[in-house]
Amino acid sequence: MIYNFSAGPAVLPKEVLQQAAAEMLDWHGSGMSVMEMSHRGTEFMSILANAQQDLRELLAVPSNYKILFMQGGAIAENAIVPLNLAGLGNRAQPATLDYICTGSWSVKSIKEAAKYGTVNVAADARTFSPDGKFSSIPAPSNWQLSSDAAYLHICTNETIDGVEYGFTPNVSMPIVADMSSHILSRVISVSDYGVIYGGAQKNIGPAGLTIVIVREDLLGYALPACPSAFNWKTVADNDSMFNTPPTYAIYIAGLVFQWIKRQGGVAALEKINVAKAALLYDYLDNSRLYENRIVKDCRSRMNVPFFLRDESLNAIFLSEAKARGLLQLKGHSSVGGMRASIYNAMPIEGVQALVAFMDEFERQYFK
Ligand SMILES: *Cc1c(COP(=O)(O)O)cnc(C)c1O
């Protein structure tokens, strides 16, 4: 049995891969692979419409929000967000853009946004965390928000650092949230946000697809320099067909949405995700060899970084894990140590297998 703990591109539900394999050469009697279809043909139009509708159902997206299928990933959205929103309300340029800095992905978002506006870092987690690192989410009472900001940007799950918002901020400006690595893992209220975006390759499907969910009244304010293919209003007006959308990635994402519905929806998956995370964190907290350094109520349910107290064991830990079929556990180079990403498609059996291996490893190597 293989369990893949990659942070992304990441594990997909086996059923989805099997269905894609079965339909690879001939989708529903069309005689074509989905990859070979015109994006404007009736076959693909139905695939796109169903994927959009299923995502709308799964997240209970209100009717005054558009769902866009774009390309470029979350890193491109770091520029696309200010390009679309810095002109909001015809404010003076450069506009003020508020950001909360909670980890590596926030750092990148902030750096990119600074090209398009005056960024105000309303709170940096390193100022408030006990260890001076990205190990907590700063309390909203410590945020220094601007009165005239076009929006507030947050990264609700920091994939590299392993911190996650357990709450939705309550602020006066629209919230823009990078949810790349935990979208569909927990129940959210879309109406709390102005914009939700994320690359698909963590918790949805293959790389190449970017999901954007945007409230309609935020459309139409793009800066003149915004490329047409990145203008949310243009993309929305053309139903994600202004340019050729990433057709195969949308098809796989659609199969994943159907799989989530068969699991009982997001609330059902959230229950399993809570159990998976609790299993791993409880084990880490009670072990002698391993530790997780994130403040407890800020720990990510999706990305669990951990360290071996004896780092000279790192290489053998990884090679023995791999021999047991436990793959891609090496931590991000900027953090070190290990990281287990336990997205929706990771079954609880995978986390049980990981904990069993870690326990055996500790007994054998850590006296
Ligand atoms: C992976 C990730 C990104 C980067 O996504 P790309 O597809 O490489 O652009 C951005 N933000 C978060 C939170 C991520 O997990």
Side-chain angles (χ1 to χ4, degrees):
M1 197 64 197
I2 298 291
Y3 293 110
N4 177 0
F5 295 92
S6 171
V11 61
L12 286 166
K14 187 153 282 171
E15 281 172 44
V16 165
L17 296 176
Q18 283 164 341
Q19 187 178 347
E23 296 177 346
M24 173 60 80
L25 297 183
D26 180 6
W27 182 83
H28 295 200
S30 66
M32 295 178 282
S33 169
V34 173
M35 267 181 263
E36 304 170 304
M37 289 174 182
S38 164
H39 59 296
R40 300 194 188 280
T42 50
E43 294 94 346
F44 184 74
M45 296 282 270
S46 75
I47 289 172
L48 183 124
N50 288 335
Q52 221 173 54
Q53 187 51 38
D54 285 338
L55 180 58
R56 194 172 279 281
E57 263 177 53
L58 285 170
L59 288 177
V61 178
S63 59
N64 63 324
Y65 283 74
K66 297 284 190 193
I67 296 177
L68 312 180
F69 292 143
M70 297 181 67
Q71 303 190 51
I75 289 179
E77 290 297 326
N78 283 339
I80 295 170
V81 165
L83 277 165
N84 277 275
L85 296 182
L88 203 61
N90 296 322
R91 58 197 63 233
Q93 296 298 325
T96 305
L97 313 172
D98 278 3
Y99 279 70
I100 306 297
C101 188
T102 48
S104 304
W105 289 115
S106 305
V107 167
K108 283 204 174 159
S109 300
I110 289 164
K111 201 170 162 207
E112 191 73 8
K115 295 182 183 176
Y116 305 100
T118 304
V119 171
N120 167 45
V121 178
D124 187 312
R126 290 169 291 193
T127 311
F128 301 101
S129 294
D131 61 0
K133 295 183 178 174
F134 288 126
S135 57
S136 70
I137 304 288
S141 56
N142 290 319
W143 297 2
Q144 305 286 324
L145 299 172
S146 317
S147 56
D148 60 344
Y151 60 84
L152 170 70
H153 180 283
I154 60 177
C155 176
T156 45
N157 185 67
E158 289 278 2
T159 322
I160 292 174
D161 304 276
V163 294
E164 179 172 7
Y165 282 68
F167 62 93
T168 309
N170 184 10
V171 297
S172 56
M173 65 282 264
I175 299 174
V176 177
D178 177 356
M179 294 196 183
S180 295
S181 50
H182 77 164
I183 191 166
L184 293 166
S185 72
R186 60 191 299 151
V187 174
I188 56 163
S189 176
V190 171
S191 60
D192 291 340
Y193 301 88
V195 181
I196 292 167
Y197 68 91
Q201 72 272 21
K202 311 292 168 53
N203 215 14
I204 293 181
L209 169 64
T210 315
I211 307 278
V212 178
I213 303 172
V214 54
R215 210 173 63 211
E216 278 169 354
D217 64 288
L218 300 176
L219 298 172
Y221 296 98
L223 299 179
C226 181
S228 307
F230 290 165
N231 184 323
W232 290 332
K233 181 162 173 28
T234 306
V235 178
D237 287 349
N238 289 278
D239 219 357
S240 298
M241 293 270 189
F242 175 75
N243 55 347
T244 310
T247 53
Y248 198 76
I250 290 170
Y251 158 70
I252 300 286
L255 297 184
V256 171
F257 299 152
Q258 286 166 17
W259 175 82
I260 296 175
K261 286 171 82 174
R262 291 198 298 277
Q263 309 308 302
V266 175
L269 283 180
E270 178 172 10
K271 267 195 198 147
I272 301 171
N273 288 330
V274 167
K276 280 152 53 184
L279 179 62
L280 186 47
Y281 284 116
D282 287 349
Y283 174 70
L284 290 168
D285 288 344
N286 291 304
S287 90
R288 290 180 307 124
L289 175 56
Y290 313 98
E291 62 172 336
N292 169 272
R293 298 173 184 165
I294 304 302
V295 170
K296 278 192 179 161
D297 63 356
C298 303
R299 287 170 162 179
S300 169
R301 293 175 185 166
M302 296 284 103
N303 308 99
V304 184
F306 62 92
F307 297 88
L308 276 62
R309 289 193 172 90
D310 177 358
E311 297 229 289
S312 71
L313 294 173
N314 282 357
I316 185 155
F317 177 88
L318 286 168
S319 71
E320 295 215 352
K322 189 172 178 192
R324 290 273 288 259
L326 306 169
L327 307 183
Q328 310 208 63
L329 284 163
K330 192 172 190 295
H332 190 273
S333 57
S334 67
V335 173
M338 308 296 157
R339 173 175 49 169
S341 295
I342 49 176
Y343 297 120
N344 281 347
M346 173 61 64
I348 196 158
E349 291 77 12
V351 182
Q352 288 163 345
L354 176 62
V355 166
F357 161 72
M358 287 170 67
D359 200 42
E360 261 177 55
F361 184 89
E362 175 176 320
R363 285 169 210 277
Q364 186 175 350
Y365 288 98
F366 194 60
K367 304 295 179 198

